[in-house]
Amino acid sequence: MDASGPRVGDDMTVEVALSVMAGARVEYLVLCDGDDQSTGSVTLAELVAHRGSSTYTDRTRLRDVLDGPFVSHGRTPGVLALSG
């Protein structure tokens, strides 16, 4: 993925991230920490899948998704991968 995509804070909620993606008409967001350092990226499909999980609430933050059940395997650290 290209690091020039829309950059958002990892403290953003999943719901807001989905709205940003819809408004910007993009398939992924570049995640940044409090120091504006890139920590990875997340795709629309990954967020939609997480939103359908039993652990999801409307307060779930992107950083919580990165630490949650969708753990990356063999991808760039911080980039979500669907398990299964």
Side-chain angles (χ1 to χ4, degrees):
M1 276 186 219
D2 185 344
S4 65
R7 297 170 62 91
V8 300
D10 62 3
D11 60 341
M12 179 180 283
T13 66
V14 170
E15 287 300 316
V16 172
L18 289 168
S19 293
V20 168
M21 293 172 105
R25 296 183 181 169
V26 296
E27 293 293 317
Y28 74 95
L29 297 171
V30 176
L31 304 179
C32 300
D33 62 15
D35 295 325
D36 200 33
Q37 297 297 310
S38 177
T39 58
S41 62
V42 63
T43 68
L44 177 61
E46 291 164 336
L47 290 181
V48 169
H50 185 75
R51 187 171 61 179
S53 77
S54 62
T55 60
Y56 176 78
T57 72
D58 62 353
R59 294 183 183 184
T60 302
R61 304 223 176 254
L62 295 175
R63 72 169 66 112
D64 300 331
V65 173
L66 290 175
D67 295 333
F70 300 101
V71 181
S72 66
H73 295 286
R75 292 176 68 182
T76 304
V79 177
L80 297 178
L82 294 176
S83 57

XYZ file of all heavy atoms in Angstrom:
612
model
N 0.824 -1.191 0.000
C 0.000 0.000 0.000
C 0.863 1.247 0.000
O 1.944 1.259 0.560
C -0.896 0.015 1.235
C -2.145 -0.770 1.045
S -3.212 -0.558 2.461
C -3.805 -2.200 2.562
N 0.371 2.264 -0.565
C 1.047 3.532 -0.682
C 0.867 4.333 0.596
O -0.232 4.511 1.083
C 0.426 4.276 -1.864
C 1.106 5.569 -2.193
O 1.863 6.086 -1.363
O 0.875 6.063 -3.302
N 1.966 4.837 1.155
C 1.911 5.607 2.402
C 1.359 7.010 2.183
O 1.260 7.781 3.119
C 3.298 5.679 3.024
N 0.987 7.359 0.962
C 0.471 8.699 0.692
C -1.044 8.789 0.842
O -1.633 9.825 0.565
C 0.865 9.141 -0.722
O 0.236 8.306 -1.675
N -1.683 7.708 1.282
C -3.131 7.720 1.486
C -3.510 8.626 2.634
O -2.656 9.189 3.324
N -4.798 8.788 2.875
C -5.254 9.630 3.987
C -4.678 9.143 5.312
O -4.705 7.963 5.618
C -6.777 9.446 3.965
C -7.096 8.984 2.581
C -5.910 8.188 2.146
N -4.126 10.086 6.095
C -3.512 9.768 7.378
C -4.477 10.155 8.495
O -5.002 11.258 8.500
C -2.194 10.511 7.534
C -1.172 10.112 6.494
C 0.054 11.010 6.498
N 0.780 10.983 7.738
C 1.777 10.154 8.023
N 2.152 9.267 7.125
N 2.399 10.205 9.172
N -4.675 9.233 9.435
C -5.561 9.485 10.567
C -4.892 9.009 11.842
O -4.021 8.135 11.812
C -6.934 8.794 10.399
C -7.647 9.298 9.153
C -6.789 7.287 10.353
N -5.326 9.559 12.962
C -4.819 9.135 14.252
C -5.348 7.764 14.623
O -6.497 7.422 14.320
N -4.510 6.976 15.296
C -4.934 5.638 15.698
C -5.932 5.661 16.852
O -6.471 4.631 17.238
C -3.745 4.735 16.014
C -2.891 5.219 17.176
O -3.232 6.239 17.814
O -1.864 4.573 17.449
N -6.216 6.871 17.362
C -7.223 7.008 18.418
C -8.627 7.261 17.848
O -9.598 7.342 18.587
C -6.843 8.107 19.396
C -6.705 9.473 18.743
O -6.545 9.545 17.507
O -6.752 10.477 19.469
N -8.727 7.336 16.523
C -10.023 7.531 15.864
C -10.883 6.287 16.063
O -10.383 5.170 16.073
C -9.794 7.780 14.373
C -11.058 7.987 13.559
S -10.674 8.282 11.814
C -10.136 9.981 11.902
N -12.197 6.488 16.205
C -13.081 5.326 16.325
C -13.284 4.682 14.953
O -13.119 5.331 13.915
C -14.459 5.694 16.905
O -15.140 6.547 15.982
C -14.350 6.347 18.274
N -13.649 3.419 14.985
C -13.909 2.688 13.750
C -15.031 3.362 12.968
O -14.949 3.518 11.748
C -14.247 1.211 14.053
C -14.765 0.500 12.811
C -13.029 0.488 14.616
N -16.080 3.793 13.663
C -17.213 4.444 12.980
C -16.775 5.710 12.256
O -17.171 5.944 11.108
C -18.331 4.763 13.975
C -19.087 3.549 14.443
C -19.760 2.788 13.310
O -20.372 3.400 12.415
O -19.670 1.551 13.326
N -15.960 6.535 12.906
C -15.482 7.767 12.264
C -14.566 7.406 11.093
O -14.645 8.021 10.023
C -14.778 8.690 13.281
C -14.112 9.860 12.588
C -15.771 9.175 14.330
N -13.720 6.408 11.279
C -12.827 5.979 10.196
C -13.618 5.530 8.977
O -13.275 5.871 7.839
C -11.907 4.863 10.679
N -14.682 4.780 9.208
C -15.523 4.353 8.089
C -16.161 5.550 7.390
O -16.258 5.576 6.157
C -16.586 3.371 8.576
C -16.061 1.987 8.977
C -17.131 1.197 9.720
C -15.576 1.223 7.756
N -16.558 6.551 8.147
C -17.129 7.771 7.551
C -16.082 8.526 6.738
O -16.370 9.024 5.650
C -17.689 8.677 8.643
O -18.801 8.088 9.246
N -14.871 8.620 7.268
C -13.782 9.287 6.553
C -13.503 8.563 5.241
O -13.352 9.193 4.185
C -12.504 9.351 7.427
C -11.290 9.769 6.609
C -12.712 10.304 8.599
N -13.460 7.247 5.298
C -13.198 6.466 4.083
C -14.293 6.672 3.046
O -14.004 6.816 1.854
C -13.063 4.987 4.437
C -11.840 4.684 5.271
S -11.821 3.004 5.852
C -10.593 2.328 4.764
N -15.531 6.699 3.494
C -16.645 6.916 2.568
C -16.563 8.307 1.947
O -16.738 8.468 0.740
C -17.976 6.727 3.292
N -16.289 9.310 2.778
C -16.207 10.683 2.278
C -15.049 10.901 1.324
O -15.160 11.641 0.349
N -13.919 10.257 1.620
C -12.725 10.410 0.783
C -12.708 9.421 -0.384
O -11.838 9.511 -1.252
C -11.471 10.214 1.631
N -13.661 8.476 -0.360
C -13.748 7.444 -1.402
C -12.427 6.691 -1.550
O -11.869 6.571 -2.647
C -14.179 8.044 -2.723
C -15.556 8.611 -2.667
C -16.005 9.135 -3.987
N -17.351 9.691 -3.852
C -17.939 10.405 -4.762
N -17.327 10.660 -5.886
N -19.154 10.857 -4.565
N -11.939 6.192 -0.409
C -10.699 5.431 -0.387
C -10.955 4.051 0.214
O -11.943 3.845 0.914
C -9.590 6.149 0.410
C -9.206 7.466 -0.257
C -10.016 6.389 1.849
N -10.082 3.129 -0.069
C -10.194 1.758 0.419
C -9.316 1.492 1.642
O -9.380 0.415 2.214
C -9.823 0.776 -0.690
C -10.814 0.765 -1.834
C -12.168 0.225 -1.422
O -12.208 -0.782 -0.700
O -13.179 0.835 -1.818
N -8.458 2.449 2.011
C -7.611 2.258 3.181
C -7.224 3.600 3.793
O -7.330 4.652 3.149
C -6.343 1.463 2.828
C -5.325 2.269 2.060
C -4.276 2.907 2.715
C -5.414 2.397 0.684
C -3.353 3.647 2.021
C -4.497 3.135 -0.024
C -3.457 3.756 0.648
O -2.546 4.502 -0.048
N -6.783 3.532 5.050
C -6.272 4.698 5.764
C -4.898 4.363 6.318
O -4.654 3.234 6.746
C -7.188 5.062 6.938
C -8.608 5.488 6.603
C -9.428 5.603 7.890
C -8.618 6.798 5.831
N -4.005 5.344 6.329
C -2.704 5.201 6.972
C -2.880 5.648 8.415
O -3.383 6.742 8.672
C -1.630 6.058 6.269
C -0.303 5.988 7.009
C -1.479 5.624 4.816
N -2.501 4.792 9.363
C -2.655 5.098 10.779
C -1.395 5.738 11.330
O -0.281 5.322 10.997
C -2.961 3.822 11.563
C -4.177 3.034 11.090
C -4.351 1.785 11.941
C -5.416 3.885 11.131
N -1.588 6.743 12.198
C -0.467 7.450 12.804
C -0.656 7.519 14.308
O -1.785 7.602 14.794
C -0.383 8.876 12.252
S -0.139 8.933 10.474
N 0.467 7.517 15.031
C 0.399 7.643 16.480
C 0.391 9.118 16.864
O 0.298 9.997 15.995
C 1.548 6.878 17.142
C 2.930 7.401 16.767
O 3.053 8.528 16.211
O 3.905 6.671 17.020
N 0.498 9.407 18.150
C 0.460 10.782 18.634
C 1.598 11.651 18.137
O 1.511 12.876 18.159
N 2.691 11.038 17.682
C 3.835 11.776 17.141
C 3.771 11.879 15.618
O 4.757 12.234 14.991
C 5.145 11.093 17.551
C 5.366 11.123 19.048
O 4.982 12.132 19.686
O 5.905 10.127 19.585
N 2.633 11.545 15.033
C 2.404 11.561 13.593
C 3.324 10.601 12.849
O 3.642 10.810 11.688
C 2.516 12.976 13.023
C 1.825 13.097 11.675
O 0.799 12.410 11.466
O 2.317 13.856 10.811
N 3.745 9.536 13.532
C 4.538 8.487 12.906
C 3.598 7.400 12.411
O 2.707 6.954 13.140
C 5.535 7.889 13.908
C 6.554 8.891 14.404
C 7.436 9.400 13.284
O 7.989 8.629 12.508
N 7.554 10.712 13.177
N 3.801 6.952 11.194
C 2.957 5.911 10.623
C 3.118 4.624 11.420
O 4.231 4.189 11.703
C 3.347 5.678 9.168
O 2.591 4.624 8.635
N 1.983 4.037 11.809
C 2.007 2.780 12.555
C 1.411 1.641 11.731
O 1.301 0.524 12.223
C 1.227 2.907 13.879
O -0.115 3.296 13.603
C 1.883 3.916 14.806
N 1.004 1.913 10.512
C 0.442 0.888 9.650
C -0.710 1.434 8.849
O -0.828 2.643 8.650
N -1.571 0.532 8.414
C -2.739 0.944 7.650
C -3.863 -0.043 7.902
O -3.653 -1.129 8.437
C -2.415 1.019 6.156
O -2.048 -0.247 5.678
N -5.046 0.363 7.511
C -6.224 -0.475 7.687
C -7.115 -0.298 6.469
O -7.223 0.800 5.919
C -6.966 -0.122 8.995
C -7.486 1.299 8.988
C -8.069 -1.093 9.303
N -7.699 -1.397 6.008
C -8.554 -1.335 4.827
C -10.024 -1.276 5.225
O -10.397 -1.643 6.347
C -8.354 -2.561 3.908
O -8.854 -3.721 4.569
C -6.901 -2.730 3.514
N -10.821 -0.856 4.287
C -12.264 -0.816 4.482
C -12.798 -2.207 4.814
O -13.573 -2.378 5.753
C -12.941 -0.261 3.227
C -14.457 -0.217 3.223
C -14.973 0.670 4.344
C -14.958 0.264 1.873
N -12.362 -3.197 4.079
C -12.831 -4.573 4.313
C -12.482 -5.043 5.719
O -13.294 -5.717 6.373
C -12.229 -5.514 3.277
N -11.313 -4.696 6.207
C -10.900 -5.101 7.548
C -11.757 -4.439 8.616
O -12.156 -5.078 9.593
C -9.418 -4.795 7.756
C -8.530 -5.684 6.906
C -7.101 -5.192 6.774
O -6.852 -3.982 6.942
O -6.245 -6.024 6.492
N -12.061 -3.158 8.441
C -12.901 -2.468 9.422
C -14.326 -2.996 9.409
O -14.940 -3.161 10.461
C -12.893 -0.960 9.172
C -11.582 -0.251 9.497
C -11.720 1.244 9.231
C -11.144 -0.513 10.915
N -14.845 -3.270 8.229
C -16.202 -3.820 8.137
C -16.249 -5.184 8.819
O -17.188 -5.489 9.558
C -16.664 -3.895 6.666
C -17.935 -4.705 6.523
C -16.856 -2.491 6.104
N -15.229 -6.006 8.609
C -15.182 -7.322 9.249
C -15.105 -7.174 10.765
O -15.793 -7.889 11.497
C -13.994 -8.121 8.731
N -14.297 -6.240 11.241
C -14.191 -6.040 12.690
C -15.505 -5.520 13.267
O -15.907 -5.936 14.349
C -13.054 -5.083 13.038
C -12.865 -4.956 14.509
N -12.274 -5.943 15.252
C -13.242 -3.994 15.375
C -12.297 -5.585 16.531
N -12.864 -4.408 16.620
N -16.167 -4.639 12.544
C -17.438 -4.098 13.017
C -18.470 -5.212 13.204
O -19.347 -5.113 14.056
C -17.961 -3.034 12.055
C -19.184 -2.325 12.582
C -19.580 -1.159 11.753
N -19.911 -1.562 10.398
C -20.312 -0.738 9.459
N -20.422 0.544 9.714
N -20.592 -1.173 8.260
N -18.353 -6.277 12.467
C -19.263 -7.402 12.595
C -18.884 -8.389 13.688
O -19.609 -9.340 13.947
N -17.752 -8.165 14.361
C -17.304 -9.108 15.396
C -18.048 -8.877 16.707
O -18.624 -7.826 16.949
C -15.797 -8.973 15.622
O -15.504 -7.821 16.386
N -18.007 -9.872 17.572
C -18.701 -9.799 18.864
C -18.029 -8.834 19.835
O -18.643 -8.414 20.812
C -18.785 -11.189 19.494
O -17.490 -11.682 19.747
N -16.777 -8.448 19.587
C -16.058 -7.539 20.488
C -16.258 -6.068 20.124
O -15.807 -5.197 20.850
C -14.551 -7.842 20.474
O -14.052 -7.677 19.149
C -14.266 -9.249 20.965
N -16.932 -5.798 19.035
C -17.081 -4.431 18.550
C -18.085 -3.621 19.376
O -19.144 -4.118 19.754
C -17.542 -4.437 17.087
C -17.797 -3.041 16.586
C -16.749 -2.226 16.229
C -19.089 -2.530 16.533
C -16.969 -0.938 15.803
C -19.317 -1.236 16.107
C -18.249 -0.450 15.753
O -18.467 0.833 15.348
N -17.733 -2.366 19.651
C -18.676 -1.373 20.182
C -18.458 -0.091 19.392
O -17.451 0.052 18.698
C -18.460 -1.071 21.686
O -17.260 -0.299 21.839
C -18.390 -2.346 22.508
N -19.371 0.864 19.520
C -19.209 2.125 18.785
C -18.085 2.985 19.353
O -17.766 4.028 18.810
C -20.517 2.904 18.725
C -21.035 3.320 20.082
O -20.466 2.903 21.116
O -22.034 4.057 20.122
N -17.465 2.540 20.429
C -16.322 3.252 21.018
C -14.989 2.606 20.668
O -13.947 3.061 21.116
C -16.470 3.309 22.532
C -17.646 4.147 22.960
C -17.724 4.246 24.439
N -18.913 5.012 24.816
C -19.216 5.325 26.043
N -18.444 4.935 27.035
N -20.299 6.014 26.291
N -15.007 1.545 19.866
C -13.777 0.856 19.487
C -12.898 1.794 18.674
O -13.341 2.379 17.687
C -14.088 -0.409 18.668
O -14.923 -1.263 19.441
C -12.825 -1.150 18.287
N -11.666 1.927 19.106
C -10.700 2.800 18.430
C -9.842 1.965 17.480
O -9.692 0.772 17.651
C -9.821 3.499 19.455
C -10.650 4.262 20.463
C -10.075 5.611 20.745
N -10.956 6.347 21.654
C -11.725 7.336 21.272
N -11.745 7.709 20.012
N -12.486 7.971 22.125
N -9.265 2.621 16.488
C -8.428 1.920 15.528
C -7.266 1.213 16.219
O -6.918 0.097 15.850
C -7.923 2.881 14.453
C -9.016 3.463 13.558
C -8.417 4.490 12.601
C -9.757 2.375 12.805
N -6.677 1.827 17.241
C -5.565 1.180 17.949
C -6.035 -0.090 18.650
O -5.270 -1.026 18.807
C -4.884 2.130 18.913
C -5.686 2.457 20.148
C -4.873 3.195 21.201
N -4.483 4.506 20.766
C -4.945 5.636 21.291
N -5.794 5.610 22.278
N -4.536 6.787 20.830
N -7.312 -0.122 19.075
C -7.853 -1.329 19.692
C -7.997 -2.447 18.669
O -7.818 -3.620 18.987
C -9.213 -1.052 20.338
C -9.143 0.005 21.420
O -8.081 0.138 22.066
O -10.151 0.715 21.611
N -8.324 -2.079 17.443
C -8.440 -3.057 16.371
C -7.064 -3.666 16.092
O -6.937 -4.876 15.906
C -9.028 -2.418 15.099
C -8.993 -3.381 13.923
C -10.444 -1.925 15.353
N -6.027 -2.839 16.093
C -4.673 -3.334 15.848
C -4.232 -4.315 16.919
O -3.493 -5.249 16.645
C -3.680 -2.171 15.803
C -3.786 -1.254 14.600
C -2.832 -0.092 14.748
C -3.515 -2.016 13.330
N -4.694 -4.121 18.150
C -4.325 -5.002 19.255
C -5.299 -6.149 19.430
O -5.123 -6.979 20.305
C -4.271 -4.204 20.567
C -3.181 -3.158 20.557
O -2.191 -3.350 19.835
O -3.327 -2.152 21.261
N -6.346 -6.190 18.611
C -7.417 -7.156 18.787
C -7.196 -8.457 18.058
O -6.075 -8.832 17.744
N -8.296 -9.150 17.760
C -8.214 -10.495 17.188
C -7.744 -10.550 15.751
O -7.365 -11.597 15.266
C -9.656 -10.997 17.290
C -10.480 -9.765 17.277
C -9.663 -8.726 17.986
N -7.726 -9.429 15.057
C -7.263 -9.416 13.664
C -5.788 -9.046 13.662
O -5.415 -7.911 13.458
C -8.079 -8.423 12.834
C -9.531 -8.769 12.810
C -10.435 -8.103 13.606
C -9.990 -9.790 12.001
C -11.774 -8.425 13.588
C -11.332 -10.121 11.976
C -12.221 -9.438 12.772
N -4.935 -10.019 13.914
C -3.501 -9.800 14.064
C -2.815 -10.034 12.730
O -3.148 -10.969 12.005
C -2.928 -10.764 15.128
C -1.444 -10.535 15.315
C -3.669 -10.595 16.441
N -1.832 -9.189 12.426
C -1.135 -9.349 11.152
C -0.226 -10.577 11.186
O 0.371 -10.904 12.193
C -0.321 -8.092 10.829
O 0.726 -7.934 11.747
N -0.148 -11.266 10.072
C 0.736 -12.424 9.910
C 1.479 -12.255 8.604
O 0.885 -12.322 7.541
C -0.079 -13.715 9.862
C -0.795 -13.993 11.142
N -0.156 -14.425 12.266
C -2.091 -13.880 11.491
C -1.029 -14.570 13.238
N -2.213 -14.233 12.788
N 2.785 -12.022 8.703
C 3.588 -11.905 7.499
C 3.353 -10.630 6.726
O 3.625 -10.553 5.553
N 2.837 -9.596 7.385
C 2.618 -8.314 6.731
C 3.349 -7.241 7.519
O 3.880 -7.489 8.591
C 1.125 -7.989 6.680
C 0.372 -8.952 5.744
C -1.078 -8.706 5.751
N -1.414 -7.430 5.138
C -2.659 -6.969 5.052
N -3.659 -7.672 5.528
N -2.914 -5.823 4.492
N 3.348 -6.049 7.024
C 3.977 -4.936 7.687
C 3.381 -4.765 9.084
O 2.165 -4.828 9.235
C 3.738 -3.637 6.867
O 4.220 -3.861 5.560
C 4.438 -2.455 7.502
N 4.216 -4.566 10.126
C 3.675 -4.381 11.467
C 2.639 -3.271 11.479
O 2.826 -2.220 10.871
C 4.898 -3.988 12.293
C 6.054 -4.551 11.539
C 5.654 -4.482 10.076
N 1.528 -3.531 12.164
C 0.464 -2.551 12.257
C -0.573 -2.655 11.156
O -1.582 -2.008 11.214
N -0.303 -3.454 10.148
C -1.262 -3.628 9.067
C -2.132 -4.826 9.416
O -1.647 -5.903 9.705
C -0.568 -3.866 7.708
C -1.598 -4.125 6.620
C 0.285 -2.666 7.351
N -3.415 -4.621 9.417
C -4.334 -5.676 9.814
C -4.441 -6.744 8.738
O -4.394 -6.456 7.555
C -5.724 -5.089 10.056
C -5.838 -4.088 11.166
C -7.261 -3.571 11.239
C -5.448 -4.697 12.488
N -4.640 -7.952 9.172
C -4.912 -9.063 8.252
C -6.065 -9.857 8.831
O -6.132 -10.085 10.022
C -3.677 -9.959 8.117
N -6.964 -10.252 7.981
C -8.096 -11.046 8.447
C -7.613 -12.451 8.728
O -6.918 -13.057 7.920
C -9.200 -11.088 7.389
C -9.863 -9.749 7.111
C -10.857 -9.913 5.975
C -10.561 -9.231 8.340
N -7.958 -12.963 9.903
C -7.598 -14.344 10.217
C -8.727 -15.256 9.760
O -9.879 -14.857 9.701
C -7.342 -14.493 11.719
O -8.473 -14.084 12.449
N -8.375 -16.469 9.475
C -9.447 -17.389 9.093
C -9.180 -18.219 7.913
O -8.325 -18.316 7.191
